[in-house]
Amino acid sequence: PVGTAPSGTDGSPALAGTAVALACAASSPLAVFLSNELRGYSLLLLLTATSLLAFWRVAESARWGAPGAFPPEAPSPVGWAAHEHRRRVVLLIATNVLLVYAHYFGWLVVLAELGAALAWARRAVRASLSSAAASGIAFAPWALAVARSAAATPTPLANVDWIARPRIADVPRFYDALVARVLAPSLAPAGAVVVLAVVGWLLATLVWRGPSGHRARATV
């Protein structure tokens, strides 16, 4: 029945079982080792999604200041739009600072947003540059500490010595991994074709529309 404890009258056996399960998970060497990997990548994924959403919102509000965005007889929304745009820029900067600290792969997202602003949303370039600059300033102490630690270590790259030097035949495997296939080496070219086809289409679209995308939408 709904509301009935799984065992006993107060559910204490169920609570005890839960406590034992949690204790086993928390003390498992394998679980602890893998959690060190999962926490970082989960946070990276969360902040990446948040950063992309924040960038999209900044690109949207950056267009509000364009001539004709608001009718001249209603000046009050213009002030509100400027305030909202500044708020969104601050949110983007804060998110990207956390992103690069969560994982250095976060720099790929920051640079991708800057490239997207240069290609498709020129009005958001200043915000993207501010975000990249703030992230760089915040990231500098950590990078300096890592550089000093690496300089004082006899073999700073010992943790990646197990990685073999890639061959030309391994290149398709990289693109195959980008689409999460990695089924067999013989099928790797299929993943490479998918990724390169999408990249080629994006480049062709960029060339066709021009740097500012004026053929598709003049205010973007």
Side-chain angles (χ1 to χ4, degrees):
V2 177
T4 302
S7 178
T9 57
D10 58 354
S12 56
L15 292 176
T18 301
V20 171
L22 291 174
C24 291
S27 60
S28 168
L30 180 61
V32 172
F33 173 77
L34 293 178
S35 67
N36 292 330
E37 299 288 336
L38 293 176
R39 280 197 298 267
Y41 289 114
S42 299
L43 182 60
L44 173 66
L45 180 60
L46 172 64
L47 291 175
T48 295
T50 305
S51 176
L52 293 175
L53 176 59
F55 173 76
W56 178 81
R57 289 173 60 81
V58 165
E60 177 188 48
S61 61
R63 296 196 301 266
W64 293 348
F70 291 99
E73 65 270 17
S76 56
V78 176
W80 173 85
H83 172 75
E84 175 64 15
H85 178 66
R86 287 193 296 269
R87 188 187 70 84
R88 294 184 179 190
V89 171
V90 170
L91 179 60
L92 175 64
I93 291 174
T95 302
N96 283 349
V97 168
L98 294 176
L99 177 61
V100 298
Y101 261 92
H103 200 289
Y104 51 83
F105 281 177
W107 278 110
L108 298 177
V109 179
V110 175
L111 295 178
E113 291 172 351
L114 180 58
L118 290 170
W120 295 296
R122 289 290 179 84
R123 294 185 180 276
V125 169
R126 179 179 297 180
S128 297
L129 285 173
S130 300
S131 171
S135 300
I137 293 172
F139 190 76
W142 184 88
L144 180 60
V146 171
R148 288 180 174 177
S149 177
T153 303
T155 55
L157 298 179
N159 60 322
V160 294
D161 283 345
W162 59 273
I163 302 177
R165 183 182 296 275
R167 303 168 299 172
I168 296 298
D170 295 328
V171 173
R173 294 285 288 174
F174 168 75
Y175 294 101
D176 187 56
L178 293 180
V179 293
R181 293 182 72 255
V182 199
L183 298 176
S186 60
L187 298 177
V193 169
V194 172
V195 174
L196 294 178
V198 173
V199 172
W201 176 78
L202 290 174
L203 291 176
T205 302
L206 177 60
V207 171
W208 172 251
R209 292 182 178 181
S212 61
H214 62 279
R215 297 190 183 185
R217 188 172 184 177
T219 58
V220 175

